[in-house]
Amino acid sequence: MYLADWEPSLVLVLPILSRSCEPCRRSKLRCDHVAPTCGRCIKRRCVDQCIYHPNPLSQNRRKGRTTPPTPLSPANGEDLGDVVQSIETPSAEPPSYLTPQSLLPRSAEVVTREVHRAASAPPLQLRDEYTSHSGRQGFLGETSYISIFEDGLGNCCVSNPGLESSPVQKVKLSHDRITQGCKVLSFLRDNSMLIRLVSRWYEICEDEGCICIEPIMKEWLWGLWPHHGDVLRDQNPEKIRRLCELVWRNTQTPVSFDANTTAAQWARSSTGPNLRWEVVGLIAAIAGQCASTPEPSNRYSRTHKFAHPSFPRQMLEISEACLSYCRECETLGDMFAWLLMENYCLAAKIKGETSHSSYTQSGEVVTAVIAMGLHQGVKAEDRLPFFLSEIRKRLFAQTYSAEIGTATFLGRPPRLSHRYCNFQPPLDLSVSELVLTGDELALALASLDDQGFNTAGRIHRVTWVKTWLGFAPQREDILDLAIGQYTREEILLRAESIERKSEQHLEGLPSFIKNIREGPLETEGRTPTEIMFMIVIRQAFRANDLLLQRVLIRKAGASSEKLIHTARSILKDILLMSQRHDLGTLFQADIASLLAIQGLRSAGVIAVELLKQEQLPVYPKEPLLPRSQTIQDLAIFAARLGATDPADGSYSICDQGRRVITHILDRILSPPNAPDQVQPPAQQDSHQVPSQPGLSVLPNDSAQSYGWHMPGAMDPTMADLNFGMEASFLGPDNDFMQWLENMDWERPF
């Protein structure tokens, strides 16, 4: 993608008239100058008489007759077909930017008339208030009051009286709100910087953001500055207030579309004269995510302008301000959900995925997805265009996956459960294929396999989302075992079921996905983005195994052999990933997140197990953890944690993990009064423990089990040993985090 592809084309400038309509002028009433029909004429039901005469004082008027409606025409005699499209910037819109009026329902036509205001229209605060649809409830399920009435009316052969429609209420728009909106819009003045940021972000992500795709964002930017560029650049107080009023009016109006709407048409309905707060917020969120990604110093001469650490936080504030405006308008639609998701991604980069602020924002994403009914799947009666249907599937899949991942790391119950969801995995199509129509789309669909994966072996974001959606329910079931109340027998049965479902899902994946889990990562010819997603997919497989083994050790008395093996393989991949300069440059925040979550989880297991192994009264002849190699790996990993940028949201967790691992290594390498290690006897008696088939539940033998300390799970000779730490690593990840925070580092071991 080239930067020149993002430059918007210029539009011709047309003159604008500033007259009151004929009925308001004759009645000497204040006109709101809305074209083609003002609000007063709509209320008085005289729409056919609402015209704007170019020379009202020179026209021939007869008493009792009204002037027939005529098109609005310039005073200088230009073509009568020219129509004024914007007040803030006197520019005409190319026909391709507008959805044809014939395709819009009557309600959409009224909205279009309201947002095209004349140049002399007064600011919004003089009109005191505007109308907004209030009380939108969103999805209503089987037990709602609506379903009761609908079932009853259906049985009686009575048509639906529109129970879900809500009354229109007056919502006050204060002077302060207008002022705040003007400040938010001021960040759009530097269009060249924003275009450069947004285009670079999609270049890194290969046309895919978190959920907002590049073709739609490009249409938004192309339609923004040709219509409002002069206002945004000059920052004239009066005109910027009118633009703010326009954005408020558009945001309260739902976007109209049908099954035949293309991606370009859908995007154009929310830019230019139809600009909305959701679009403004999405531009800020995407620009903030790019600004938080380091850029090579020789890329652009103006890199310093947006590379300042405060710029991503400023974009986050603007994005959150736009969200608050959308909430006041009670917006509930695709763009609002996109803004929630992109804002959450930006907040997670800045504040960390486990911060309370990010946790709250992810909860709002879950709430919006449920309110839109996406947890029930996309239905044919929704009459969605293909691209929007697929993006909704991607949005739900990413929302559920993120919720389960966060809940697992924090050890909290999930706010979205697979038990109440209808999973519809998205198709593995590239962004360019997603926006196709007709025969071209049919060819793209024919190139997919039976499971909906691409047959070219590409690894992109949607490939990861589609793959992970099959394993996320098993992760949720593992979390349920960890925090639920189950007997040992129930845990073993459920664990066996989880492993069986995981293997079944793995068998249904294409070969290029299976190879990511089982063999070495083949990175030759892959882009950095593909390599990053390959690493994430590989870690998702192994993280489930590690978490399940932790539950079995804690609640079923299993041994730690499989846990240690899985932890070592995860740590090895994390260390290899952190050594790649290309990934570290483009995905600094993502790598820090992997270090804090996957890396620290596995390193914590290895470090504590190594400490226990060193404390054994009889050192094993063939230890599970090779002493020298393990100490080297932990030392390198601690150094990687220490190199995390303090401005990164994961810095706090990485710093805590570095301190813990460093102290454990100090304890191992320089133990006080270290006893001489003795070799173990040739053979020891062991007692078998009943276990379920296929599970790593081995004998509770001190020479063979180096897992977590469980009452009755180790040899009685180990009961009085004190390792110098009270490490509560047996529960969910929040136990580990609490232990890190409560650890008294000044107390000697």
Side-chain angles (χ1 to χ4, degrees):
M1 176 179 57
Y2 297 95
L3 186 62
D5 296 338
W6 282 80
E7 297 297 338
S9 58
L10 298 177
V11 228
L12 297 177
V13 177
L14 295 179
I16 288 182
L17 295 176
S18 57
R19 309 287 185 222
S20 296
C21 71
E22 285 296 288
C24 293
R25 189 186 64 79
R26 288 197 300 267
S27 302
K28 300 186 183 300
L29 298 174
R30 179 182 297 160
C31 181
D32 60 9
H33 303 264
V34 173
T37 306
C38 74
R40 190 177 298 277
C41 288
I42 292 177
K43 293 180 180 179
R44 298 175 65 186
R45 299 183 180 180
C46 56
V47 175
D48 56 338
Q49 303 176 27
C50 184
I51 61 171
Y52 293 88
H53 200 284
N55 297 293
L57 299 181
S58 62
Q59 60 179 316
N60 293 325
R61 300 184 300 274
R62 297 188 203 173
K63 190 174 182 179
R65 295 186 61 181
T66 59
T67 307
T70 58
L72 184 63
S73 61
N76 59 3
E78 291 190 10
D79 185 9
L80 295 179
D82 295 333
V83 180
V84 177
Q85 299 293 348
S86 177
I87 31 166
E88 293 78 13
T89 304
S91 59
E93 182 185 31
S96 60
Y97 280 159
L98 287 177
T99 302
Q101 294 294 330
S102 60
L103 298 180
L104 297 176
R106 178 65 182 171
S107 59
E109 293 181 5
V110 174
V111 169
T112 305
R113 290 170 178 170
E114 291 182 353
V115 300
H116 296 168
R117 306 185 64 239
S120 60
L124 182 63
Q125 74 274 14
L126 297 180
R127 289 186 289 143
D128 295 333
E129 58 189 17
Y130 69 94
T131 58
S132 173
H133 293 283
S134 180
R136 292 176 184 170
Q137 298 164 313
F139 173 80
L140 297 174
E142 293 295 329
T143 59
S144 67
Y145 67 95
I146 291 294
S147 65
I148 298 175
F149 284 105
E150 287 180 340
D151 293 343
L153 294 175
N155 295 334
C156 299
C157 299
V158 179
S159 61
N160 189 338
L163 293 171
E164 294 189 46
S165 60
S166 56
V168 177
Q169 301 179 358
K170 298 288 184 178
V171 179
K172 296 288 184 179
L173 188 60
S174 65
H175 173 79
D176 293 339
R177 261 324 195 197
I178 288 289
T179 303
Q180 294 171 7
C182 293
K183 293 180 180 179
V184 168
L185 292 175
S186 64
F187 94 97
L188 295 171
R189 72 179 72 181
D190 195 344
N191 65 324
S192 60
M193 181 190 68
L194 291 175
I195 287 177
R196 187 162 61 251
L197 281 169
V198 174
S199 62
R200 177 176 177 262
W201 179 247
Y202 284 109
E203 182 181 359
I204 294 173
C205 300
E206 299 179 359
D207 298 345
E208 285 186 281
C210 184
I211 193 64
C212 181
I213 59 177
E214 184 252 7
I216 290 179
M217 176 59 71
K218 184 183 292 186
E219 291 289 344
W220 285 339
L221 293 178
W222 276 351
L224 176 60
W225 281 288
H227 289 84
H228 311 298
D230 293 342
V231 177
L232 297 172
R233 182 170 50 254
D234 299 339
Q235 292 293 303
N236 180 278
E238 184 66 22
K239 291 184 178 180
I240 202 73
R241 293 177 72 88
R242 294 176 186 172
L243 176 58
C244 183
E245 171 193 350
L246 177 69
V247 178
W248 275 101
R249 284 180 170 273
N250 292 337
T251 305
Q252 65 173 336
T253 307
V255 178
S256 299
F257 57 85
D258 57 29
N260 298 320
T261 303
T262 65
Q265 291 174 340
W266 186 80
R268 291 165 187 166
S269 66
S270 304
T271 188
N274 304 312
L275 184 63
R276 306 169 65 91
W277 284 124
E278 300 101 307
V279 175
V280 176
L282 282 165
I283 294 174
I286 296 296
Q289 291 182 62
C290 180
S292 63
T293 302
E295 186 172 10
S297 57
N298 60 349
R299 186 176 179 87
Y300 297 118
S301 59
R302 299 176 62 188
T303 299
H304 66 279
K305 185 167 185 178
F306 55 82
H308 193 275
S310 64
F311 186 84
R313 293 186 177 273
Q314 293 173 1
M315 294 297 100
L316 179 61
E317 292 176 1
I318 291 173
S319 176
E320 291 178 344
C322 293
L323 277 175
S324 68
Y325 301 158
C326 295
R327 296 186 191 105
E328 289 190 24
C329 296
E330 298 205 5
T331 302
L332 183 61
D334 294 279
M335 294 181 194
F336 177 67
W338 292 16
L339 178 54
L340 286 172
M341 176 60 78
E342 296 288 358
N343 181 75
Y344 163 69
C345 293
L346 178 57
K349 285 178 177 289
I350 296 175
K351 302 178 181 179
E353 296 182 21
T354 59
S355 67
H356 180 70
S357 175
S358 299
Y359 183 75
T360 303
Q361 290 177 358
S362 66
E364 188 173 6
V365 179
V366 172
T367 302
V369 164
I370 294 177
M372 293 174 63
L374 301 188
H375 63 296
Q376 293 297 308
V378 178
K379 302 177 182 178
E381 55 265 28
D382 295 335
R383 291 183 53 80
L384 297 174
F386 175 78
F387 79 94
L388 195 56
S389 172
E390 285 300 307
I391 293 180
R392 286 190 176 186
K393 295 176 184 178
R394 296 185 183 191
L395 175 62
F396 171 76
Q398 291 190 81
T399 301
Y400 174 73
S401 301
E403 173 61 24
I404 297 304
T406 302
T408 303
F409 187 76
L410 298 177
R412 299 173 181 174
R415 294 164 293 189
L416 185 63
S417 174
H418 70 84
R419 295 171 177 82
Y420 313 110
C421 298
N422 178 23
F423 286 171
Q424 293 180 335
L427 297 176
D428 190 9
L429 295 172
S430 66
V431 171
S432 58
E433 295 171 333
L434 190 64
V435 297
L436 294 176
T437 57
D439 295 338
E440 294 178 333
L441 176 60
L443 289 175
L445 295 176
S447 66
L448 302 177
D449 64 11
D450 296 338
Q451 299 297 323
F453 284 95
N454 73 84
T455 55
R458 301 188 309 265
I459 306 292
H460 296 319
R461 175 180 288 273
V462 66
T463 314
W464 159 66
V465 171
K466 186 177 178 66
T467 303
W468 172 235
L469 188 61
F471 286 99
Q474 281 76 59
R475 173 74 64 87
E476 181 185 343
D477 291 339
I478 294 172
L479 176 62
D480 180 55
L481 286 181
I483 64 179
Q485 302 297 325
Y486 298 100
T487 64
R488 183 178 183 275
E489 290 73 20
E490 290 174 333
I491 289 174
L492 294 175
L493 289 174
R494 288 174 179 265
E496 184 180 1
S497 174
I498 291 172
E499 290 185 337
R500 183 172 60 253
K501 291 179 181 178
S502 297
E503 290 299 325
Q504 290 175 354
H505 176 64
L506 183 63
E507 288 300 321
L509 296 176
S511 58
F512 71 94
I513 299 292
K514 294 180 183 177
N515 294 336
I516 295 176
R517 180 193 181 186
E518 299 170 355
L521 292 178
E522 299 179 358
T523 59
E524 184 177 357
R526 300 279 189 179
T527 64
T529 303
E530 286 187 281
I531 296 173
M532 192 67 193
F533 283 126
M534 291 172 68
I535 294 173
V536 172
I537 292 174
R538 188 184 183 102
Q539 297 310 313
F541 291 140
R542 295 177 174 176
N544 277 13
D545 296 336
L546 184 142
L547 291 171
L548 181 59
Q549 289 304 312
R550 290 183 64 189
V551 173
L552 292 175
I553 290 172
R554 180 190 181 192
K555 295 191 171 183
S559 65
S560 57
E561 281 84 351
K562 188 174 181 179
L563 174 71
I564 294 175
H565 174 75
T566 305
R568 290 188 64 191
S569 62
I570 292 176
L571 184 60
K572 179 181 178 181
D573 284 347
I574 295 296
L575 292 177
L576 291 175
M577 175 202 65
S578 63
Q579 295 173 0
R580 294 187 62 103
H581 178 72
D582 54 346
L583 298 181
T585 301
L586 296 176
F587 306 105
Q588 179 177 340
D590 299 278
I591 289 180
S593 178
L594 283 173
L595 289 173
I597 298 177
Q598 305 289 2
L600 191 55
R601 180 188 286 151
S602 58
V605 169
I606 294 173
V608 175
E609 288 296 326
L610 180 63
L611 180 62
K612 291 182 179 181
Q613 181 176 286
E614 292 292 310
Q615 296 281 357
L616 289 173
V618 178
Y619 200 80
K621 184 176 181 179
E622 296 182 357
L624 292 176
L625 290 170
R627 188 175 191 272
S628 177
Q629 185 62 49
T630 303
I631 291 176
Q632 293 179 50
D633 291 343
L634 291 176
I636 295 174
F637 180 74
R640 296 282 188 270
L641 294 176
T644 304
D645 187 352
D648 193 279
S650 302
Y651 172 76
S652 176
I653 297 178
C654 290
D655 184 60
Q656 289 177 329
R658 178 192 61 81
R659 293 166 59 194
V660 121
I661 293 175
T662 301
H663 279 76
I664 291 177
L665 290 177
D666 291 343
R667 181 70 180 88
I668 293 173
L669 295 176
S670 56
N673 302 323
D676 295 333
Q677 303 288 351
V678 295
Q679 295 297 325
Q683 213 171 15
Q684 292 185 354
D685 294 333
S686 61
H687 303 280
Q688 299 293 330
V689 176
S691 61
Q692 294 292 330
L695 298 178
S696 300
V697 182
L698 301 180
N700 297 328
D701 184 41
S702 60
Q704 298 181 12
S705 177
Y706 312 111
W708 312 116
H709 175 68
M710 288 293 295
M714 299 182 67
D715 190 272
T717 59
M718 298 288 293
D720 58 347
L721 285 180
N722 184 0
F723 299 127
M725 292 184 175
E726 296 178 358
S728 177
F729 291 111
L730 304 185
D733 288 329
N734 66 323
D735 295 343
F736 179 57
M737 296 307 304
Q738 292 175 3
W739 179 75
L740 287 176
E741 295 177 358
N742 299 328
M743 185 65 185
D744 184 7
W745 302 111
E746 303 302 328
R747 177 177 62 86
F749 293 110

